[in-house]
Amino acid sequence: MSTTLTAFRTSTSSGFDIERVRADFPILEQRVHDLPLVYLDNAATTQKPRAVIDAISNYYLSYNANIHRGVHQLSQSATDAYEAARKSVQTFLNAEDAKEIIFVRGATEAINLVAQSYGRQHVNSGDEIIVTAMEHHSNIVPWQMLCEEKGAHLRVAPINDAGELLLDEFEAMLNAKTKLVAVVHTSNVLGTVNPVRRIVEMAHTKGIPVLLDGAQAVPHGGVDVRALDCDFYAFSGHKIYGPTGIGILYGKRALLEAMPPYQGGGDMIRSVTFEKTIYNQLPYKFEAGTPDIAGVVGLGAAIEYVNGIGLSDIVAHEEDLLAYGTEALGAIPGLTLIGTAKEKVSVLSFVLEGIHPHDIGTILDRQGIAIRTGHHCAQPLMQRFGIPATARASLAVYNTAQEIDALVAGIHKVKEVFA
Ligand code: 7TS
């Protein structure tokens, strides 16, 4: 390995210590095929620190009960923990009100909620919804379903070869028929961080609301929904060191108040008769049925964990890794990085001349290295780049320069197999 980054920060004056961070994640001690695990599939899902695992087991061990229902002590404790997590998320996103934080299953469900509730209420025949060419399927298909139902049109803002949104083209697409802009904050394939503040400004000038898909943004930087002034923000707990099955929809209170419920059932009502149901207030109106209480508790612990390290240290560490990885991978003959935006997070998608990404992933796995290969639920983006798939290494707070060295050595082995 010839590449060295002299200023690599393995610890900082503010106390960031990579070895201490790694020790928080028990799974990183795993061996795979009798080799140390090198986990570089964080955009798919992150590993969980002990604090999250403990919070979930502590819920089941000591105060498992349903929420908002019982007068008994355990139910009260469960409700308190559930609502405390909502507060943590509110603070984390800098939302004005905890009522604007809706617990859902993940980013996918958050987007479907907006499509089915806000979308069905506001989108009509001939209207338009704008997305970008770099969306995950979960920010395409719900809008296509809505457009099909309503006779509306999905329009796609183009990107350049580096994987950056063409802002002028995007702006030119906004018109009186546009009912919603739904844009990925950070691309799961390219790592591109979109200029979302500008996007919101452009759309708001024309009175168009904006949904941001933040699934890949929240783990890699601070998100301030009030500063962004976005109308909806969606993310998943499992990509930010929390459990699967839990995620967040943030919505501006006035918008959420005016939206019909997404699902009917227990907890989302104030009163029910066979003649008429009166819906509950926010946020419960959108939380029908028994929620994933353990998941919420786990997500709350994950956010506290991230706050404990400090997002600025996480970002600084990942920036170092990205710079190191970009240089190291870029030096491999025959390797092309897909996604070279100026503003990007620690995602390294690549193709190797003459070798299918699936073969890269399989051979790397034999070396204990976990990456993802395929279309990454972004088939239209693959078509934009004229490729069927990429290999993708995506980095998190616990990754190291040595692991990138292992990846580089692994890729050289892949090339030897196919030489
Ligand atoms: N939006 C983006 C940008 C994503 O990357 C993903 C998941 C989702 C939405 C959906 O999140 P979910 O938790 O509701 O499934 N992305 C990926 C990925 O890149 N590899 O596996 C899942």
Side-chain angles (χ1 to χ4, degrees):
M1 184 59 230
S2 57
T3 315
T4 49
L5 195 77
T6 42
F8 207 91
R9 289 167 276 198
T10 50
S11 63
T12 67
S13 54
S14 57
F16 181 83
D17 179 341
I18 185 66
E19 286 312 321
R20 284 224 328 256
V21 170
R22 287 183 69 80
D24 291 337
F25 291 81
I27 206 169
L28 297 180
E29 289 156 27
Q30 284 273 332
R31 291 177 75 80
V32 171
H33 305 305
D34 215 23
L35 290 163
L37 167 66
V38 176
Y39 187 79
L40 303 175
D41 194 15
N42 295 287
T45 200
T46 53
Q47 300 302 342
K48 319 307 169 198
R50 197 181 299 278
V52 168
I53 299 165
D54 286 351
I56 295 168
S57 53
N58 185 38
Y59 162 70
Y60 282 123
L61 286 170
S62 52
Y63 61 99
N64 171 56
N66 212 328
I67 54 163
H68 302 141
R69 293 163 204 252
V71 291
H72 60 82
Q73 178 59 51
L74 291 192
S75 175
Q76 196 52 56
S77 301
T79 305
D80 290 348
Y82 187 85
E83 293 304 331
R86 196 190 307 275
K87 274 266 169 213
S88 293
V89 176
Q90 178 204 346
T91 308
F92 185 69
L93 293 180
N94 194 30
E96 195 171 337
D97 194 323
K99 291 185 172 67
E100 298 176 316
I101 306 298
I102 315 289
F103 288 120
V104 290
R105 278 196 299 133
T108 301
E109 189 174 50
I111 297 167
N112 276 276
L113 191 164
V114 176
Q116 290 300 313
S117 174
Y118 182 88
R120 293 180 83 190
Q121 196 177 33
H122 292 276
V123 176
N124 292 304
S125 177
D127 287 343
E128 296 178 356
I129 295 168
I130 299 181
V131 296
T132 76
M134 65 176 98
E135 302 304 325
H136 186 278
H137 294 165
S138 63
N139 200 31
I140 300 173
V141 185
W143 307 117
Q144 268 176 340
M145 291 163 70
L146 177 68
C147 287
E148 201 166 312
E149 181 187 323
K150 296 288 191 168
H153 306 289
L154 190 65
R155 299 193 62 198
V156 184
I159 59 175
N160 64 20
D161 291 342
E164 293 163 323
L165 183 66
L166 297 173
L167 257 188
D168 292 344
E169 275 85 340
F170 165 78
E171 189 171 28
M173 292 169 77
L174 300 167
N175 67 63
K177 286 183 283 183
T178 316
K179 288 293 146 68
L180 190 81
V181 167
V183 170
V184 71
H185 188 168
T186 298
S187 160
N188 64 319
V189 178
L190 309 168
T192 307
V193 181
N194 278 314
V196 284
R197 178 73 199 99
R198 285 286 296 133
I199 289 171
V200 171
E201 258 170 22
M202 287 172 171
H204 281 185
T205 304
K206 300 219 159 86
I208 303 160
V210 178
L211 174 143
L212 298 177
D213 170 2
Q216 301 290 347
V218 287
H220 305 294
V223 172
D224 181 333
V225 290
R226 265 189 284 180
L228 291 176
D229 199 28
C230 57
D231 301 278
F232 300 104
Y233 199 93
F235 76 93
S236 298
H238 69 98
K239 295 189 198 288
I240 180 164
Y241 314 108
T244 53
I246 191 70
I248 297 296
L249 172 68
Y250 157 83
K252 280 185 182 163
R253 186 169 170 175
L255 287 172
L256 292 174
E257 296 276 14
M259 282 160 55
Y262 171 51
Q263 294 178 328
D267 263 5
M268 55 72 72
I269 56 91
R270 184 165 294 154
S271 72
V272 178
T273 67
F274 282 117
E275 288 69 41
K276 184 166 176 58
T277 290
I278 300 181
Y279 304 132
N280 206 340
Q281 61 186 5
L282 287 177
Y284 313 114
K285 183 171 82 173
F286 292 109
E287 293 179 2
T290 300
D292 182 356
I293 303 165
V296 168
V297 168
L299 173 58
I303 286 175
E304 293 312 323
Y305 178 79
V306 165
N307 289 340
I309 297 180
L311 261 172
S312 57
D313 275 358
I314 294 176
V315 170
H317 175 66
E318 292 181 350
E319 275 174 0
D320 285 350
L321 287 178
L322 177 64
Y324 187 71
T326 303
E327 199 179 326
L329 264 59
I332 299 174
L335 186 149
T336 306
L337 284 166
I338 306 294
T340 49
K342 276 195 250 1
E343 296 294 328
K344 73 173 275 189
V345 298
S346 50
V347 172
L348 293 158
S349 267
F350 60 94
V351 290
L352 269 182
E353 206 179 332
I355 306 176
H356 195 279
H358 189 74
D359 292 327
I360 303 174
T362 306
I363 297 169
L364 288 177
D365 172 64
R366 301 305 302 176
Q367 301 168 61
I369 302 167
I371 62 158
R372 184 171 173 187
T373 64
H375 53 63
H376 314 291
C377 300
Q379 284 183 347
L381 180 61
M382 296 295 117
Q383 284 150 20
R384 163 64 180 80
F385 279 92
I387 48 177
T390 76
R392 180 187 70 183
S394 51
L395 312 172
V397 63
Y398 39 70
N399 288 125
T400 64
Q402 291 72 28
E403 289 181 312
I404 290 174
D405 294 346
L407 173 67
V408 170
I411 295 171
H412 282 298
K413 280 205 187 127
V414 173
K415 289 184 64 179
E416 278 163 28
V417 170
F418 283 88

